Amino acid sequence: VLELVAGLHRVTWYGRGPHETYPDRRRAGSIGRWSASLDELFTPYVRPQESGGRADVRWIELADAAGRGLRITLDEPRQVSATRYRAADLAAAAHHPELVPRPGAGVHLDAAHRGLGTASCGPDTLPAYLVGPGNYRWSWVLEDLGA
């Protein structure tokens, strides 16, 4: 998780989109270059939870209105999300009005990401989309988008 300064509200990525996609929902999106505001990436599920993931992302940029910001280029297509909420914020809230957006963005770069479902209130993740124990490695490059 990278926590970025306030003001980087324009998100552009090359990967699956335009809406959220996860390893077991790849067919819901197509590969392309997409843009949205940071707030548009959040999906307001009935109970606050992780949302807004994008599968098969090769790079993601977060920039301000003048185009200043950063680009993250991944070593291979990965699961990425950008949000104004920390995991602890989502876990502590029972309803959306309890969430207070943070001024900066949190960017999640996942070396591996299981499919959706935990069996807590429905079916578990399908076996093909589980992530087993082991060592996972990934790398990325940060680039300044300049002024």
Side-chain angles (χ1 to χ4, degrees), residues 33-69:
R33 184 179 186 277
W34 307 98
S35 292
S37 72
L38 183 60
D39 292 330
E40 289 171 331
L41 298 179
F42 184 73
T43 303
Y45 290 112
V46 173
R47 179 166 175 91
Q49 59 189 285
E50 175 190 326
S51 72
R54 301 304 194 266
D56 299 327
V57 173
R58 278 77 164 168
W59 56 262
I60 183 170
E61 294 177 351
L62 288 95
D64 63 15
R68 293 179 301 248

PDB file of all heavy atoms in Angstrom, residues 33-69:
ATOM      1  N   ARG A  33      -7.042   1.712 -22.054  1.00  0.00           N
ATOM      2  CA  ARG A  33      -6.586   2.864 -21.277  1.00  0.00           C
ATOM      3  C   ARG A  33      -7.833   3.548 -20.748  1.00  0.00           C
ATOM      4  O   ARG A  33      -8.706   3.943 -21.532  1.00  0.00           O
ATOM      5  CB  ARG A  33      -5.784   3.812 -22.163  1.00  0.00           C
ATOM      6  CG  ARG A  33      -5.195   4.990 -21.423  1.00  0.00           C
ATOM      7  CD  ARG A  33      -4.384   5.853 -22.399  1.00  0.00           C
ATOM      8  NE  ARG A  33      -3.686   6.909 -21.735  1.00  0.00           N
ATOM      9  CZ  ARG A  33      -4.236   8.091 -21.404  1.00  0.00           C
ATOM     10  NH1 ARG A  33      -5.495   8.339 -21.692  1.00  0.00           N
ATOM     11  NH2 ARG A  33      -3.510   9.007 -20.804  1.00  0.00           N
ATOM     12  N   TRP A  34      -7.925   3.667 -19.430  1.00  0.00           N
ATOM     13  CA  TRP A  34      -9.128   4.190 -18.789  1.00  0.00           C
ATOM     14  C   TRP A  34      -8.772   5.338 -17.861  1.00  0.00           C
ATOM     15  O   TRP A  34      -7.667   5.400 -17.339  1.00  0.00           O
ATOM     16  CB  TRP A  34      -9.814   3.082 -17.982  1.00  0.00           C
ATOM     17  CG  TRP A  34     -10.086   1.857 -18.784  1.00  0.00           C
ATOM     18  CD1 TRP A  34      -9.324   0.709 -18.818  1.00  0.00           C
ATOM     19  CD2 TRP A  34     -11.156   1.645 -19.689  1.00  0.00           C
ATOM     20  NE1 TRP A  34      -9.883  -0.197 -19.675  1.00  0.00           N
ATOM     21  CE2 TRP A  34     -11.006   0.341 -20.229  1.00  0.00           C
ATOM     22  CE3 TRP A  34     -12.235   2.414 -20.103  1.00  0.00           C
ATOM     23  CZ2 TRP A  34     -11.894  -0.189 -21.147  1.00  0.00           C
ATOM     24  CZ3 TRP A  34     -13.119   1.874 -21.018  1.00  0.00           C
ATOM     25  CH2 TRP A  34     -12.951   0.600 -21.529  1.00  0.00           C
ATOM     26  N   SER A  35      -9.728   6.222 -17.622  1.00  0.00           N
ATOM     27  CA  SER A  35      -9.550   7.332 -16.685  1.00  0.00           C
ATOM     28  C   SER A  35     -10.806   7.515 -15.863  1.00  0.00           C
ATOM     29  O   SER A  35     -11.920   7.292 -16.350  1.00  0.00           O
ATOM     30  CB  SER A  35      -9.259   8.641 -17.428  1.00  0.00           C
ATOM     31  OG  SER A  35      -7.998   8.596 -18.044  1.00  0.00           O
ATOM     32  N   ALA A  36     -10.623   7.923 -14.623  1.00  0.00           N
ATOM     33  CA  ALA A  36     -11.742   8.217 -13.725  1.00  0.00           C
ATOM     34  C   ALA A  36     -11.205   9.074 -12.589  1.00  0.00           C
ATOM     35  O   ALA A  36      -9.994   9.145 -12.370  1.00  0.00           O
ATOM     36  CB  ALA A  36     -12.344   6.920 -13.177  1.00  0.00           C
ATOM     37  N   SER A  37     -12.107   9.697 -11.864  1.00  0.00           N
ATOM     38  CA  SER A  37     -11.681  10.393 -10.660  1.00  0.00           C
ATOM     39  C   SER A  37     -11.473   9.350  -9.560  1.00  0.00           C
ATOM     40  O   SER A  37     -12.023   8.244  -9.624  1.00  0.00           O
ATOM     41  CB  SER A  37     -12.726  11.415 -10.218  1.00  0.00           C
ATOM     42  OG  SER A  37     -13.858  10.760  -9.678  1.00  0.00           O
ATOM     43  N   LEU A  38     -10.688   9.695  -8.580  1.00  0.00           N
ATOM     44  CA  LEU A  38     -10.441   8.791  -7.462  1.00  0.00           C
ATOM     45  C   LEU A  38     -11.763   8.365  -6.819  1.00  0.00           C
ATOM     46  O   LEU A  38     -11.965   7.188  -6.505  1.00  0.00           O
ATOM     47  CB  LEU A  38      -9.531   9.481  -6.441  1.00  0.00           C
ATOM     48  CG  LEU A  38      -9.093   8.679  -5.235  1.00  0.00           C
ATOM     49  CD1 LEU A  38      -8.320   7.433  -5.650  1.00  0.00           C
ATOM     50  CD2 LEU A  38      -8.252   9.553  -4.319  1.00  0.00           C
ATOM     51  N   ASP A  39     -12.686   9.302  -6.653  1.00  0.00           N
ATOM     52  CA  ASP A  39     -13.977   8.975  -6.029  1.00  0.00           C
ATOM     53  C   ASP A  39     -14.818   8.043  -6.895  1.00  0.00           C
ATOM     54  O   ASP A  39     -15.577   7.228  -6.373  1.00  0.00           O
ATOM     55  CB  ASP A  39     -14.762  10.250  -5.723  1.00  0.00           C
ATOM     56  CG  ASP A  39     -14.098  11.063  -4.623  1.00  0.00           C
ATOM     57  OD1 ASP A  39     -13.449  10.468  -3.740  1.00  0.00           O
ATOM     58  OD2 ASP A  39     -14.229  12.300  -4.643  1.00  0.00           O
ATOM     59  N   GLU A  40     -14.702   8.130  -8.209  1.00  0.00           N
ATOM     60  CA  GLU A  40     -15.476   7.262  -9.106  1.00  0.00           C
ATOM     61  C   GLU A  40     -15.021   5.802  -9.043  1.00  0.00           C
ATOM     62  O   GLU A  40     -15.773   4.910  -9.426  1.00  0.00           O
ATOM     63  CB  GLU A  40     -15.375   7.754 -10.552  1.00  0.00           C
ATOM     64  CG  GLU A  40     -16.118   9.044 -10.801  1.00  0.00           C
ATOM     65  CD  GLU A  40     -15.839   9.638 -12.169  1.00  0.00           C
ATOM     66  OE1 GLU A  40     -14.743   9.426 -12.729  1.00  0.00           O
ATOM     67  OE2 GLU A  40     -16.747  10.333 -12.679  1.00  0.00           O
ATOM     68  N   LEU A  41     -13.831   5.553  -8.548  1.00  0.00           N
ATOM     69  CA  LEU A  41     -13.333   4.180  -8.457  1.00  0.00           C
ATOM     70  C   LEU A  41     -13.973   3.396  -7.316  1.00  0.00           C
ATOM     71  O   LEU A  41     -13.969   2.177  -7.326  1.00  0.00           O
ATOM     72  CB  LEU A  41     -11.813   4.168  -8.289  1.00  0.00           C
ATOM     73  CG  LEU A  41     -11.005   4.762  -9.431  1.00  0.00           C
ATOM     74  CD1 LEU A  41      -9.515   4.687  -9.103  1.00  0.00           C
ATOM     75  CD2 LEU A  41     -11.304   4.056 -10.741  1.00  0.00           C
ATOM     76  N   PHE A  42     -14.512   4.083  -6.335  1.00  0.00           N
ATOM     77  CA  PHE A  42     -15.114   3.441  -5.164  1.00  0.00           C
ATOM     78  C   PHE A  42     -16.494   2.888  -5.509  1.00  0.00           C
ATOM     79  O   PHE A  42     -17.308   3.570  -6.129  1.00  0.00           O
ATOM     80  CB  PHE A  42     -15.219   4.447  -4.020  1.00  0.00           C
ATOM     81  CG  PHE A  42     -15.745   3.866  -2.742  1.00  0.00           C
ATOM     82  CD1 PHE A  42     -14.946   3.028  -1.982  1.00  0.00           C
ATOM     83  CD2 PHE A  42     -17.019   4.153  -2.313  1.00  0.00           C
ATOM     84  CE1 PHE A  42     -15.424   2.490  -0.797  1.00  0.00           C
ATOM     85  CE2 PHE A  42     -17.513   3.621  -1.126  1.00  0.00           C
ATOM     86  CZ  PHE A  42     -16.710   2.794  -0.364  1.00  0.00           C
ATOM     87  N   THR A  43     -16.770   1.661  -5.098  1.00  0.00           N
ATOM     88  CA  THR A  43     -18.087   1.051  -5.300  1.00  0.00           C
ATOM     89  C   THR A  43     -18.799   1.017  -3.952  1.00  0.00           C
ATOM     90  O   THR A  43     -18.319   0.362  -3.023  1.00  0.00           O
ATOM     91  CB  THR A  43     -17.953  -0.375  -5.866  1.00  0.00           C
ATOM     92  OG1 THR A  43     -17.217  -0.316  -7.083  1.00  0.00           O
ATOM     93  CG2 THR A  43     -19.321  -0.995  -6.117  1.00  0.00           C
ATOM     94  N   PRO A  44     -19.935   1.688  -3.818  1.00  0.00           N
ATOM     95  CA  PRO A  44     -20.627   1.750  -2.526  1.00  0.00           C
ATOM     96  C   PRO A  44     -21.494   0.512  -2.267  1.00  0.00           C
ATOM     97  O   PRO A  44     -22.708   0.533  -2.429  1.00  0.00           O
ATOM     98  CB  PRO A  44     -21.476   3.015  -2.647  1.00  0.00           C
ATOM     99  CG  PRO A  44     -21.766   3.116  -4.111  1.00  0.00           C
ATOM    100  CD  PRO A  44     -20.558   2.562  -4.813  1.00  0.00           C
ATOM    101  N   TYR A  45     -20.862  -0.580  -1.887  1.00  0.00           N
ATOM    102  CA  TYR A  45     -21.616  -1.786  -1.535  1.00  0.00           C
ATOM    103  C   TYR A  45     -22.467  -1.525  -0.303  1.00  0.00           C
ATOM    104  O   TYR A  45     -22.232  -0.561   0.427  1.00  0.00           O
ATOM    105  CB  TYR A  45     -20.661  -2.952  -1.290  1.00  0.00           C
ATOM    106  CG  TYR A  45     -20.002  -3.446  -2.553  1.00  0.00           C
ATOM    107  CD1 TYR A  45     -18.649  -3.286  -2.773  1.00  0.00           C
ATOM    108  CD2 TYR A  45     -20.756  -4.067  -3.541  1.00  0.00           C
ATOM    109  CE1 TYR A  45     -18.052  -3.726  -3.943  1.00  0.00           C
ATOM    110  CE2 TYR A  45     -20.173  -4.504  -4.716  1.00  0.00           C
ATOM    111  CZ  TYR A  45     -18.830  -4.337  -4.905  1.00  0.00           C
ATOM    112  OH  TYR A  45     -18.257  -4.774  -6.064  1.00  0.00           O
ATOM    113  N   VAL A  46     -23.446  -2.387  -0.052  1.00  0.00           N
ATOM    114  CA  VAL A  46     -24.364  -2.194   1.071  1.00  0.00           C
ATOM    115  C   VAL A  46     -23.579  -2.007   2.368  1.00  0.00           C
ATOM    116  O   VAL A  46     -23.863  -1.116   3.149  1.00  0.00           O
ATOM    117  CB  VAL A  46     -25.347  -3.376   1.185  1.00  0.00           C
ATOM    118  CG1 VAL A  46     -26.175  -3.276   2.444  1.00  0.00           C
ATOM    119  CG2 VAL A  46     -26.254  -3.422  -0.039  1.00  0.00           C
ATOM    120  N   ARG A  47     -22.588  -2.839   2.584  1.00  0.00           N
ATOM    121  CA  ARG A  47     -21.691  -2.670   3.742  1.00  0.00           C
ATOM    122  C   ARG A  47     -20.334  -2.231   3.199  1.00  0.00           C
ATOM    123  O   ARG A  47     -19.818  -2.833   2.264  1.00  0.00           O
ATOM    124  CB  ARG A  47     -21.556  -3.966   4.517  1.00  0.00           C
ATOM    125  CG  ARG A  47     -20.630  -3.830   5.705  1.00  0.00           C
ATOM    126  CD  ARG A  47     -20.755  -4.999   6.661  1.00  0.00           C
ATOM    127  NE  ARG A  47     -19.773  -4.898   7.709  1.00  0.00           N
ATOM    128  CZ  ARG A  47     -19.975  -4.298   8.870  1.00  0.00           C
ATOM    129  NH1 ARG A  47     -21.138  -3.749   9.129  1.00  0.00           N
ATOM    130  NH2 ARG A  47     -19.027  -4.244   9.777  1.00  0.00           N
ATOM    131  N   PRO A  48     -19.733  -1.186   3.778  1.00  0.00           N
ATOM    132  CA  PRO A  48     -18.425  -0.740   3.293  1.00  0.00           C
ATOM    133  C   PRO A  48     -17.399  -1.873   3.308  1.00  0.00           C
ATOM    134  O   PRO A  48     -17.312  -2.635   4.272  1.00  0.00           O
ATOM    135  CB  PRO A  48     -18.040   0.361   4.289  1.00  0.00           C
ATOM    136  CG  PRO A  48     -19.352   0.885   4.781  1.00  0.00           C
ATOM    137  CD  PRO A  48     -20.249  -0.328   4.856  1.00  0.00           C
ATOM    138  N   GLN A  49     -16.663  -1.989   2.216  1.00  0.00           N
ATOM    139  CA  GLN A  49     -15.662  -3.045   2.068  1.00  0.00           C
ATOM    140  C   GLN A  49     -14.714  -2.674   0.940  1.00  0.00           C
ATOM    141  O   GLN A  49     -14.944  -1.696   0.233  1.00  0.00           O
ATOM    142  CB  GLN A  49     -16.341  -4.376   1.752  1.00  0.00           C
ATOM    143  CG  GLN A  49     -17.173  -4.334   0.481  1.00  0.00           C
ATOM    144  CD  GLN A  49     -18.006  -5.580   0.294  1.00  0.00           C
ATOM    145  OE1 GLN A  49     -17.480  -6.607  -0.068  1.00  0.00           O
ATOM    146  NE2 GLN A  49     -19.294  -5.488   0.574  1.00  0.00           N
ATOM    147  N   GLU A  50     -13.673  -3.484   0.776  1.00  0.00           N
ATOM    148  CA  GLU A  50     -12.763  -3.261  -0.341  1.00  0.00           C
ATOM    149  C   GLU A  50     -13.578  -3.193  -1.618  1.00  0.00           C
ATOM    150  O   GLU A  50     -14.504  -3.963  -1.826  1.00  0.00           O
ATOM    151  CB  GLU A  50     -11.762  -4.404  -0.447  1.00  0.00           C
ATOM    152  CG  GLU A  50     -10.869  -4.270  -1.655  1.00  0.00           C
ATOM    153  CD  GLU A  50     -10.032  -5.503  -1.928  1.00  0.00           C
ATOM    154  OE1 GLU A  50      -9.621  -6.179  -0.978  1.00  0.00           O
ATOM    155  OE2 GLU A  50      -9.795  -5.769  -3.114  1.00  0.00           O
ATOM    156  N   SER A  51     -13.201  -2.273  -2.481  1.00  0.00           N
ATOM    157  CA  SER A  51     -13.885  -2.160  -3.764  1.00  0.00           C
ATOM    158  C   SER A  51     -12.993  -1.404  -4.728  1.00  0.00           C
ATOM    159  O   SER A  51     -11.962  -0.865  -4.353  1.00  0.00           O
ATOM    160  CB  SER A  51     -15.229  -1.437  -3.615  1.00  0.00           C
ATOM    161  OG  SER A  51     -15.030  -0.061  -3.368  1.00  0.00           O
ATOM    162  N   GLY A  52     -13.407  -1.382  -5.971  1.00  0.00           N
ATOM    163  CA  GLY A  52     -12.719  -0.576  -6.966  1.00  0.00           C
ATOM    164  C   GLY A  52     -11.483  -1.193  -7.569  1.00  0.00           C
ATOM    165  O   GLY A  52     -10.731  -0.509  -8.252  1.00  0.00           O
ATOM    166  N   GLY A  53     -11.251  -2.480  -7.323  1.00  0.00           N
ATOM    167  CA  GLY A  53     -10.075  -3.124  -7.883  1.00  0.00           C
ATOM    168  C   GLY A  53     -10.118  -3.174  -9.401  1.00  0.00           C
ATOM    169  O   GLY A  53     -11.180  -3.233 -10.011  1.00  0.00           O
ATOM    170  N   ARG A  54      -8.951  -3.134  -9.992  1.00  0.00           N
ATOM    171  CA  ARG A  54      -8.809  -3.260 -11.439  1.00  0.00           C
ATOM    172  C   ARG A  54      -7.819  -4.370 -11.711  1.00  0.00           C
ATOM    173  O   ARG A  54      -6.704  -4.370 -11.175  1.00  0.00           O
ATOM    174  CB  ARG A  54      -8.317  -1.957 -12.081  1.00  0.00           C
ATOM    175  CG  ARG A  54      -9.235  -0.726 -11.850  1.00  0.00           C
ATOM    176  CD  ARG A  54     -10.649  -0.982 -12.314  1.00  0.00           C
ATOM    177  NE  ARG A  54     -11.494   0.168 -12.427  1.00  0.00           N
ATOM    178  CZ  ARG A  54     -12.314   0.619 -11.479  1.00  0.00           C
ATOM    179  NH1 ARG A  54     -12.352   0.042 -10.305  1.00  0.00           N
ATOM    180  NH2 ARG A  54     -13.113   1.638 -11.710  1.00  0.00           N
ATOM    181  N   ALA A  55      -8.205  -5.342 -12.529  1.00  0.00           N
ATOM    182  CA  ALA A  55      -7.353  -6.492 -12.840  1.00  0.00           C
ATOM    183  C   ALA A  55      -6.471  -6.206 -14.043  1.00  0.00           C
ATOM    184  O   ALA A  55      -6.778  -5.344 -14.870  1.00  0.00           O
ATOM    185  CB  ALA A  55      -8.226  -7.723 -13.113  1.00  0.00           C
ATOM    186  N   ASP A  56      -5.383  -6.951 -14.127  1.00  0.00           N
ATOM    187  CA  ASP A  56      -4.489  -6.933 -15.292  1.00  0.00           C
ATOM    188  C   ASP A  56      -3.939  -5.540 -15.605  1.00  0.00           C
ATOM    189  O   ASP A  56      -3.750  -5.183 -16.764  1.00  0.00           O
ATOM    190  CB  ASP A  56      -5.193  -7.516 -16.519  1.00  0.00           C
ATOM    191  CG  ASP A  56      -5.609  -8.955 -16.304  1.00  0.00           C
ATOM    192  OD1 ASP A  56      -4.898  -9.676 -15.582  1.00  0.00           O
ATOM    193  OD2 ASP A  56      -6.645  -9.365 -16.856  1.00  0.00           O
ATOM    194  N   VAL A  57      -3.651  -4.765 -14.575  1.00  0.00           N
ATOM    195  CA  VAL A  57      -3.135  -3.410 -14.758  1.00  0.00           C
ATOM    196  C   VAL A  57      -1.639  -3.465 -15.045  1.00  0.00           C
ATOM    197  O   VAL A  57      -0.875  -4.112 -14.332  1.00  0.00           O
ATOM    198  CB  VAL A  57      -3.420  -2.533 -13.516  1.00  0.00           C
ATOM    199  CG1 VAL A  57      -2.740  -1.182 -13.623  1.00  0.00           C
ATOM    200  CG2 VAL A  57      -4.919  -2.377 -13.332  1.00  0.00           C
ATOM    201  N   ARG A  58      -1.232  -2.776 -16.117  1.00  0.00           N
ATOM    202  CA  ARG A  58       0.185  -2.674 -16.480  1.00  0.00           C
ATOM    203  C   ARG A  58       0.806  -1.424 -15.879  1.00  0.00           C
ATOM    204  O   ARG A  58       1.947  -1.417 -15.488  1.00  0.00           O
ATOM    205  CB  ARG A  58       0.347  -2.602 -18.002  1.00  0.00           C
ATOM    206  CG  ARG A  58       0.313  -3.928 -18.708  1.00  0.00           C
ATOM    207  CD  ARG A  58      -1.066  -4.462 -18.826  1.00  0.00           C
ATOM    208  NE  ARG A  58      -1.131  -5.542 -19.823  1.00  0.00           N
ATOM    209  CZ  ARG A  58      -2.171  -6.312 -19.950  1.00  0.00           C
ATOM    210  NH1 ARG A  58      -3.222  -6.164 -19.181  1.00  0.00           N
ATOM    211  NH2 ARG A  58      -2.184  -7.259 -20.851  1.00  0.00           N
ATOM    212  N   TRP A  59       0.045  -0.319 -15.858  1.00  0.00           N
ATOM    213  CA  TRP A  59       0.500   0.908 -15.228  1.00  0.00           C
ATOM    214  C   TRP A  59      -0.713   1.705 -14.757  1.00  0.00           C
ATOM    215  O   TRP A  59      -1.824   1.542 -15.250  1.00  0.00           O
ATOM    216  CB  TRP A  59       1.388   1.751 -16.140  1.00  0.00           C
ATOM    217  CG  TRP A  59       0.803   2.136 -17.477  1.00  0.00           C
ATOM    218  CD1 TRP A  59       1.027   1.518 -18.670  1.00  0.00           C
ATOM    219  CD2 TRP A  59      -0.099   3.222 -17.758  1.00  0.00           C
ATOM    220  NE1 TRP A  59       0.322   2.148 -19.670  1.00  0.00           N
ATOM    221  CE2 TRP A  59      -0.376   3.200 -19.140  1.00  0.00           C
ATOM    222  CE3 TRP A  59      -0.703   4.211 -16.981  1.00  0.00           C
ATOM    223  CZ2 TRP A  59      -1.226   4.115 -19.753  1.00  0.00           C
ATOM    224  CZ3 TRP A  59      -1.551   5.129 -17.589  1.00  0.00           C
ATOM    225  CH2 TRP A  59      -1.794   5.071 -18.966  1.00  0.00           C
ATOM    226  N   ILE A  60      -0.450   2.578 -13.765  1.00  0.00           N
ATOM    227  CA  ILE A  60      -1.493   3.449 -13.221  1.00  0.00           C
ATOM    228  C   ILE A  60      -0.860   4.802 -12.930  1.00  0.00           C
ATOM    229  O   ILE A  60       0.286   4.870 -12.485  1.00  0.00           O
ATOM    230  CB  ILE A  60      -2.153   2.843 -11.955  1.00  0.00           C
ATOM    231  CG1 ILE A  60      -3.301   3.730 -11.448  1.00  0.00           C
ATOM    232  CG2 ILE A  60      -1.129   2.562 -10.874  1.00  0.00           C
ATOM    233  CD1 ILE A  60      -4.146   3.090 -10.354  1.00  0.00           C
ATOM    234  N   GLU A  61      -1.596   5.863 -13.241  1.00  0.00           N
ATOM    235  CA  GLU A  61      -1.145   7.227 -12.955  1.00  0.00           C
ATOM    236  C   GLU A  61      -2.149   7.901 -12.033  1.00  0.00           C
ATOM    237  O   GLU A  61      -3.361   7.721 -12.200  1.00  0.00           O
ATOM    238  CB  GLU A  61      -1.058   8.056 -14.234  1.00  0.00           C
ATOM    239  CG  GLU A  61      -0.009   7.595 -15.201  1.00  0.00           C
ATOM    240  CD  GLU A  61       0.010   8.392 -16.499  1.00  0.00           C
ATOM    241  OE1 GLU A  61      -0.915   9.213 -16.738  1.00  0.00           O
ATOM    242  OE2 GLU A  61       0.954   8.179 -17.271  1.00  0.00           O
ATOM    243  N   LEU A  62      -1.654   8.672 -11.098  1.00  0.00           N
ATOM    244  CA  LEU A  62      -2.481   9.533 -10.264  1.00  0.00           C
ATOM    245  C   LEU A  62      -1.927  10.936 -10.415  1.00  0.00           C
ATOM    246  O   LEU A  62      -0.721  11.155 -10.230  1.00  0.00           O
ATOM    247  CB  LEU A  62      -2.466   9.094  -8.808  1.00  0.00           C
ATOM    248  CG  LEU A  62      -3.246   7.802  -8.573  1.00  0.00           C
ATOM    249  CD1 LEU A  62      -2.320   6.615  -8.621  1.00  0.00           C
ATOM    250  CD2 LEU A  62      -4.016   7.857  -7.284  1.00  0.00           C
ATOM    251  N   ALA A  63      -2.788  11.881 -10.796  1.00  0.00           N
ATOM    252  CA  ALA A  63      -2.329  13.231 -11.094  1.00  0.00           C
ATOM    253  C   ALA A  63      -3.310  14.280 -10.573  1.00  0.00           C
ATOM    254  O   ALA A  63      -4.486  13.986 -10.325  1.00  0.00           O
ATOM    255  CB  ALA A  63      -2.146  13.386 -12.606  1.00  0.00           C
ATOM    256  N   ASP A  64      -2.800  15.493 -10.459  1.00  0.00           N
ATOM    257  CA  ASP A  64      -3.668  16.615 -10.095  1.00  0.00           C
ATOM    258  C   ASP A  64      -4.240  17.237 -11.367  1.00  0.00           C
ATOM    259  O   ASP A  64      -4.008  16.745 -12.477  1.00  0.00           O
ATOM    260  CB  ASP A  64      -2.899  17.631  -9.235  1.00  0.00           C
ATOM    261  CG  ASP A  64      -1.726  18.289  -9.935  1.00  0.00           C
ATOM    262  OD1 ASP A  64      -1.619  18.202 -11.192  1.00  0.00           O
ATOM    263  OD2 ASP A  64      -0.906  18.911  -9.239  1.00  0.00           O
ATOM    264  N   ALA A  65      -4.965  18.334 -11.214  1.00  0.00           N
ATOM    265  CA  ALA A  65      -5.622  18.971 -12.359  1.00  0.00           C
ATOM    266  C   ALA A  65      -4.630  19.472 -13.403  1.00  0.00           C
ATOM    267  O   ALA A  65      -4.958  19.558 -14.590  1.00  0.00           O
ATOM    268  CB  ALA A  65      -6.503  20.124 -11.871  1.00  0.00           C
ATOM    269  N   ALA A  66      -3.399  19.787 -12.989  1.00  0.00           N
ATOM    270  CA  ALA A  66      -2.377  20.273 -13.920  1.00  0.00           C
ATOM    271  C   ALA A  66      -1.569  19.136 -14.556  1.00  0.00           C
ATOM    272  O   ALA A  66      -0.681  19.391 -15.355  1.00  0.00           O
ATOM    273  CB  ALA A  66      -1.432  21.231 -13.190  1.00  0.00           C
ATOM    274  N   GLY A  67      -1.884  17.895 -14.198  1.00  0.00           N
ATOM    275  CA  GLY A  67      -1.164  16.755 -14.765  1.00  0.00           C
ATOM    276  C   GLY A  67       0.069  16.341 -13.995  1.00  0.00           C
ATOM    277  O   GLY A  67       0.808  15.461 -14.421  1.00  0.00           O
ATOM    278  N   ARG A  68       0.315  16.983 -12.839  1.00  0.00           N
ATOM    279  CA  ARG A  68       1.455  16.591 -11.997  1.00  0.00           C
ATOM    280  C   ARG A  68       1.053  15.415 -11.125  1.00  0.00           C
ATOM    281  O   ARG A  68      -0.062  15.375 -10.610  1.00  0.00           O
ATOM    282  CB  ARG A  68       1.895  17.752 -11.116  1.00  0.00           C
ATOM    283  CG  ARG A  68       2.490  18.905 -11.878  1.00  0.00           C
ATOM    284  CD  ARG A  68       2.881  20.016 -10.931  1.00  0.00           C
ATOM    285  NE  ARG A  68       1.688  20.460 -10.207  1.00  0.00           N
ATOM    286  CZ  ARG A  68       1.098  21.647 -10.347  1.00  0.00           C
ATOM    287  NH1 ARG A  68       1.604  22.527 -11.171  1.00  0.00           N
ATOM    288  NH2 ARG A  68       0.031  21.957  -9.664  1.00  0.00           N
ATOM    289  N   GLY A  69       1.954  14.476 -10.960  1.00  0.00           N
ATOM    290  CA  GLY A  69       1.674  13.323 -10.128  1.00  0.00           C
ATOM    291  C   GLY A  69       2.699  12.240 -10.354  1.00  0.00           C
ATOM    292  O   GLY A  69       3.875  12.529 -10.548  1.00  0.00           O
TER     293      GLY A  69
END
